[in-house]
Amino acid sequence: MTQFLRTYAFALALSHICIISYLLLPQSNLWMAYDRALVESGQWWRLITANLVHLGGWHTLMNLASLWLISFIFQPLLKMSHWMSWVLLLYFVNILAMHLWTPHIVHYVGMSGALYGLIAACATAELRLGVKLSGLLLIIVAVKIFLPEIMGVQSEYDNWLGGAVVEESHIIGFVQGLILGLVWPKSLLKGPALQSILKSKQSKKA
């Protein structure tokens, strides 16, 4: 138990903040959500805190489940300090990029854009380490993100989540993740995490 807490302390901390912000809705939304006018007036913390507040319970649950799944699979790819740097960088840059390049978006909450970036970064880094399965993962995620935009299909989750899905954040996050995974020094990668999971499962079966 102690080892688990130590290994996933960062994910636990983020989860607690998200749950508390959910319990404090709508007040937490007023202080933490991305609001274009308020950011331009000097409330720059919203470029980070918008990732930690959500539309409601389902939105919070889905984002946290994704965060934990990605952490379980890919966190061994990096040292803890580097993993934290990746998550915080993607949190910040995702919303900053929306602020700079998508002027029609005036309000945003949730971390899904950054999470798509985290998946893309991890899969790209692992592909550089020779894990071909990560290339397939990149293709699947890219299809999930870009196909609805190409086909002009509205997200089926809008009504369920209680608000419109900001697809632009997913696209921006994915592109950011590709770049991060490509430029991150290979010497700072601990080793392929996804491949090690598959090997451990195979050894257990044997």
Side-chain angles (χ1 to χ4, degrees):
M1 186 63 176
T2 303
Q3 180 61 34
F4 176 87
L5 294 175
R6 189 182 304 115
T7 302
Y8 298 105
F10 187 56
L12 280 168
L14 292 177
S15 299
H16 278 83
I17 295 172
C18 290
I19 292 170
I20 291 171
S21 69
Y22 163 68
L23 295 174
L24 293 177
L25 285 173
Q27 287 78 11
S28 57
N29 196 309
L30 296 175
W31 286 101
M32 298 170 68
Y34 168 77
D35 184 289
R36 179 170 293 275
L38 294 176
V39 169
E40 291 177 349
S41 71
Q43 297 186 17
W44 291 95
W45 67 81
R46 294 175 182 270
L47 297 176
I48 285 285
T49 59
N51 293 277
L52 304 173
V53 67
H54 297 82
L55 295 168
W58 282 116
H59 192 204
T60 304
L61 182 61
M62 286 181 63
N63 273 193
L64 290 182
S66 299
L67 173 65
W68 277 96
L69 180 61
I70 298 169
S71 298
F72 277 130
I73 296 173
F74 288 114
Q75 189 171 300
L77 178 67
L78 299 164
K79 293 196 306 185
M80 175 56 74
S81 59
H82 293 160
W83 180 260
M84 292 170 62
S85 299
W86 273 29
V87 175
L88 294 176
L89 178 66
L90 290 166
Y91 274 12
F92 175 73
V93 177
N94 182 255
I95 300 181
L96 176 63
M98 283 196 293
H99 182 77
L100 295 175
W101 299 325
T102 56
H104 61 285
I105 296 175
V106 296
H107 189 271
Y108 177 82
V109 293
M111 64 175 78
S112 57
L115 291 175
Y116 275 114
L118 190 57
I119 294 174
C122 293
T124 302
E126 293 226 328
L127 189 58
R128 291 171 61 200
L129 293 175
V131 183
K132 295 180 180 179
L133 184 60
S134 294
L136 177 60
L137 177 60
L138 276 176
I139 294 173
I140 293 172
V141 174
V143 169
K144 165 68 172 63
I145 293 173
F146 290 101
L147 190 60
E149 289 294 300
I150 295 172
M151 301 294 292
V153 178
Q154 186 178 11
S155 173
E156 66 272 22
Y157 300 117
D158 288 2
N159 294 330
W160 190 49
L161 294 179
V165 173
V166 181
E167 301 289 354
E168 292 89 340
S169 72
H170 299 172
I171 295 171
I172 291 171
F174 184 77
V175 173
Q176 290 171 174
L178 290 177
I179 295 171
L180 178 57
L182 286 171
V183 304
W184 188 262
K186 198 172 180 179
S187 60
L188 296 180
L189 299 173
K190 291 175 63 179
L194 182 58
Q195 192 175 52
S196 64
I197 291 175
L198 294 175
K199 284 184 177 179
S200 65
K201 286 186 176 181
Q202 289 174 354
S203 62
K204 287 179 180 180
K205 287 181 180 180

